[in-house]
Amino acid sequence: MLKQDSRILIVGLGLIGGSYAEGLTKAGFEVGAVTRSQESIDFALSKGIIASGTTEVTREYVSRFDIIVFALYPHVFLSWIENYQDYIKPGALLTDVTGVKRSVVYKVQEMLRDDLEFVGAHPMAGRELYGVRNADCSVFKGANYIVTPTGANTEGAVVTCEDLGRALGFGCISRLSPEEHDEMIGFLSQLTHCIAVALMNSKESRHLAEFTGDSFRDLTRIARINDGMWSELFLLNRDELLSQMDLFIGKFGELRDALAAGDMDKMREMMRISTERRSYFDRK
Amino acid sequence: MLKQDSRILIVGLGLIGGSYAEGLTKAGFEVGAVTRSQESIDFALSKGIIASGTTEVTREYVSRFDIIVFALYPHVFLSWIENYQDYIKPGALLTDVTGVKRSVVYKVQEMLRDDLEFVGAHPMAGRELYGVRNADCSVFKGANYIVTPTGANTEGAVVTCEDLGRALGFGCISRLSPEEHDEMIGFLSQLTHCIAVALMNSKESRHLAEFTGDSFRDLTRIARINDGMWSELFLLNRDELLSQMDLFIGKFGELRDALAAGDMDKMREMMRISTERRSYFDRK
């Protein structure tokens, strides 16, 4: 259970870390922050979304916190644990916001001191903007928050982590294994980003812009992508994403060959399957 | 120029034909309709969006009209011209709403009597619904209306056809050759529909529905597709669409291979290109 007097440290005060800070401060928690840029700290202090913050990782500061949320690029997250986990208060709960789980959760749990516990979490919300200046905890309202416990976790810590999601206002809080999470995120998010990127790379399309309707805009909205972040996330889910890309290539090829052969029945069958399956995703 | 006393006949009173009827009646024209179902005629009469209508194609009725708009499936359109063009008043202007042009416009112009003129047009608007009961001319507001003249057309007829788009309230009226139109529609519409269909066919995804966010919903909205209509439109733009599908397969394969090889630089380069090109499509 999440105690109301818990002190919560955000490591990495970017868009998501900043939104966590804002939401948890509003929910009445004492929130601190460690991040690289003093400007981000100053901004967050001036907005009142953190109670304290520092760019220097010290034992004195870090050891004050009961819960630590890591909102870092995955490789930075792993090296932070390696370098600074000695500073963390015994019994503290660690969690994160990383968009891939299998390649992160087990590694962190393996590296971690025995008196600390890490529960992976993925807040499925965001904006196509960066930095604490764009932080906005209202993006969590109604969104999905997924906790990915493993055999190394205790029920108490998992519930505390779920409570954190509730305190932030998420609409739907679920548990998935890291493997189930990565299959889901591979299909619903990474594969669709790959498609949008490949589509925009297919053609120099400036001359077509004036004719664009909503469906093309909707489909390619996610073609605007943070290349550093997403290439890292793709690589951390490589096997799962590759197998899903291959499934897609296979089906796209089937449709292409049906068109080449003038096979109306096959094309229509695929369209009927797609229409039926799309109905699963209607907003309830 | 479009004369205000022109009598306009809509052939095919479905979603688009009905929306034309509504818009042109509101703009003060006398609008008639020929369609297969008496129920559609009755509905349109009761709503006051046509002045008259019939399910029987007769010389007496058809010959009353100065302008005829064909809102039919492409193969039905071609056979209508073949069977009934003798009934049309000499000097009448014919136009259409078909979503592909190269394979339709030249054929109709070749079949047509010398004293008639056909100017192809494509109103780029619609709803994911069918039938005159869902007709709504407000979908044209601000949308693109494309006229596809050929060497067989006179400037006067092309301008009249453009005036029709203006009378319907379209926001942007352009001219493209049938070839330019089909390249554009292949990329912006048909290819994206192929992608959405193939994606939904890739995986039985019911178990993932509860985790779906906006980007997957936006990308797959067009996976709900009228299989009869779209398979026909794909086939009528087969060569162009196949070449675009192959471009996309090539780029998607490049991204896949970069991921398999762990080639971050290549992935990031493709993401940067996609981000840059997507900016062409921002709403102005």
Side-chain angles (χ1 to χ4, degrees):
Chain A
M1 245 188 49
L2 179 60
K3 294 189 198 143
Q4 192 60 51
D5 63 354
S6 303
R7 287 173 166 169
I8 304 174
L9 177 64
I10 310 294
V11 182
L13 206 58
L15 178 78
I16 296 295
S19 303
Y20 263 61
E22 185 193 9
L24 293 169
T25 295
K26 281 190 179 170
F29 295 95
E30 183 190 326
V31 178
V34 170
T35 203
R36 275 185 312 188
S37 125
Q38 185 61 44
E39 209 193 312
S40 299
I41 299 284
D42 293 343
F43 177 83
L45 284 169
S46 77
K47 290 283 170 186
I49 67 176
I50 54 174
S52 67
T54 175
T55 58
E56 277 171 73
V57 189
T58 63
R59 182 183 301 272
E60 194 200 338
Y61 187 69
V62 169
S63 65
R64 294 176 52 208
F65 294 91
D66 309 296
I67 295 175
I68 307 185
V69 179
F70 292 90
L72 299 170
Y73 276 47
H75 74 276
V76 183
F77 176 24
L78 292 170
S79 71
W80 201 101
I81 294 289
E82 209 173 314
N83 294 329
Y84 303 119
Q85 63 164 315
D86 284 351
Y87 299 174
I88 301 173
K89 174 195 282 193
L93 172 68
L94 283 56
T95 185
D96 72 336
V97 303
T98 315
V100 290
K101 289 294 170 225
R102 202 167 34 164
S103 60
V104 171
V105 171
Y106 298 109
K107 258 185 215 156
V108 172
Q109 290 180 339
E110 220 177 84
M111 291 162 70
L112 215 58
R113 281 163 36 200
D114 286 346
D115 59 341
L116 299 175
E117 182 164 350
F118 172 68
V119 181
H122 182 190
M124 292 181 68
R127 306 176 70 189
E128 283 136 68
L129 294 165
Y130 313 112
V132 68
R133 283 177 183 277
N134 293 304
D136 176 5
C137 65
S138 74
V139 300
F140 301 144
K141 286 271 169 295
N144 284 301
Y145 177 86
I146 295 164
V147 180
T148 58
T150 71
N153 289 122
T154 61
E155 179 65 17
V158 176
V159 170
T160 303
C161 190
E162 289 173 336
D163 287 343
L164 209 62
R166 268 183 283 271
L168 286 164
F170 280 91
C172 178
I173 293 173
S174 330
R175 292 185 194 193
L176 289 176
S177 70
E179 292 73 18
E180 289 167 335
H181 171 275
D182 285 0
E183 183 225 351
M184 179 275 290
I185 214 66
F187 187 70
L188 295 182
S189 172
Q190 295 186 327
L191 178 58
T192 53
H193 281 77
C194 289
I195 286 171
V197 167
L199 177 61
M200 292 315 292
N201 274 268
S202 300
K203 200 186 253 281
E204 172 48 72
S205 47
R206 197 190 291 267
H207 64 297
L208 304 176
E210 63 179 300
F211 304 108
T212 308
D214 286 341
S215 57
F216 187 84
R217 280 209 181 82
D218 286 349
L219 193 136
T220 59
R221 187 168 53 82
I222 54 176
R224 186 189 312 265
I225 188 170
N226 176 337
D227 58 290
M229 166 79 91
W230 281 87
S231 56
E232 189 171 333
L233 291 172
F234 283 3
L235 217 50
L236 287 169
N237 201 23
R238 173 156 51 178
D239 293 347
E240 179 63 40
L241 181 54
L242 278 177
S243 90
Q244 301 207 13
M245 289 178 89
D246 290 340
L247 281 177
F248 173 75
I249 289 171
K251 288 297 172 182
F252 193 85
E254 274 181 37
L255 185 59
R256 185 226 172 270
D257 294 346
L259 175 60
D263 185 347
M264 290 279 270
D265 289 343
K266 172 72 182 174
M267 284 195 283
R268 294 184 66 166
E269 188 204 331
M270 291 185 74
M271 290 178 189
R272 282 192 298 265
I273 290 173
S274 110
T275 299
E276 189 201 322
R277 288 190 182 160
R278 180 56 178 76
S279 68
Y280 307 158
F281 296 93
D282 289 344
R283 286 175 191 289
K284 296 295 183 291
Chain B
M1 244 187 55
L2 179 60
K3 293 188 199 142
Q4 192 60 50
D5 63 353
S6 303
R7 289 172 163 171
I8 304 175
L9 177 65
I10 310 294
V11 182
L13 206 57
L15 179 77
I16 296 293
S19 302
Y20 265 59
E22 185 192 10
L24 294 169
T25 295
K26 281 190 178 169
F29 295 96
E30 183 190 326
V31 178
V34 171
T35 203
R36 276 186 311 189
S37 126
Q38 186 62 44
E39 210 193 312
S40 298
I41 299 283
D42 293 344
F43 176 83
L45 284 169
S46 78
K47 291 281 168 188
I49 66 176
I50 54 173
S52 67
T54 176
T55 59
E56 278 171 73
V57 189
T58 63
R59 182 183 303 271
E60 195 199 336
Y61 188 69
V62 170
S63 66
R64 295 176 51 210
F65 294 91
D66 309 296
I67 296 175
I68 308 185
V69 178
F70 292 90
L72 299 169
Y73 276 45
H75 73 275
V76 183
F77 176 25
L78 292 169
S79 71
W80 200 101
I81 294 289
E82 207 173 316
N83 294 328
Y84 303 120
Q85 63 165 313
D86 283 352
Y87 298 175
I88 300 173
K89 175 195 281 191
L93 171 68
L94 284 57
T95 185
D96 72 337
V97 305
T98 314
V100 290
K101 288 297 169 220
R102 203 168 32 165
S103 59
V104 171
V105 171
Y106 296 110
K107 260 187 214 153
V108 171
Q109 290 180 339
E110 219 176 85
M111 293 162 68
L112 215 58
R113 281 162 36 201
D114 288 344
D115 59 340
L116 300 175
E117 181 163 352
F118 172 68
V119 181
H122 183 190
M124 292 182 66
R127 306 177 69 189
E128 283 136 70
L129 295 165
Y130 313 112
V132 68
R133 284 178 182 277
N134 293 304
D136 176 5
C137 65
S138 73
V139 301
F140 301 144
K141 287 271 170 294
N144 284 303
Y145 177 87
I146 295 163
V147 180
T148 59
T150 71
N153 289 122
T154 61
E155 179 65 18
V158 176
V159 169
T160 303
C161 190
E162 290 172 336
D163 287 343
L164 210 62
R166 268 183 283 271
L168 286 164
F170 281 90
C172 177
I173 293 174
S174 330
R175 293 186 193 192
L176 289 176
S177 70
E179 291 74 16
E180 288 166 337
H181 171 275
D182 286 0
E183 183 226 349
M184 179 274 290
I185 214 67
F187 188 70
L188 295 182
S189 173
Q190 295 186 326
L191 179 57
T192 53
H193 281 78
C194 289
I195 286 171
V197 167
L199 177 62
M200 293 314 292
N201 275 266
S202 301
K203 201 186 254 278
E204 172 48 72
S205 46
R206 198 190 290 268
H207 65 296
L208 304 177
E210 63 178 300
F211 304 109
T212 308
D214 286 342
S215 57
F216 187 83
R217 279 207 182 84
D218 286 350
L219 193 136
T220 59
R221 187 168 55 83
I222 54 176
R224 186 190 310 267
I225 187 170
N226 176 338
D227 58 290
M229 166 79 93
W230 282 86
S231 57
E232 189 172 332
L233 290 173
F234 283 3
L235 216 50
L236 286 169
N237 201 22
R238 171 154 53 176
D239 293 346
E240 179 63 39
L241 181 54
L242 279 176
S243 90
Q244 301 206 13
M245 290 178 89
D246 289 341
L247 281 177
F248 173 75
I249 289 171
K251 289 295 172 183
F252 193 85
E254 273 180 39
L255 185 60
R256 184 225 173 271
D257 294 346
L259 174 60
D263 185 347
M264 290 279 271
D265 289 343
K266 173 72 183 174
M267 283 196 283
R268 295 184 66 165
E269 187 204 332
M270 290 185 75
M271 289 178 189
R272 282 193 298 264
I273 289 173
S274 113
T275 299
E276 188 201 323
R277 288 191 183 160
R278 180 56 178 77
S279 69
Y280 306 158
F281 295 93
D282 290 343
R283 286 175 192 288
K284 297 296 184 293

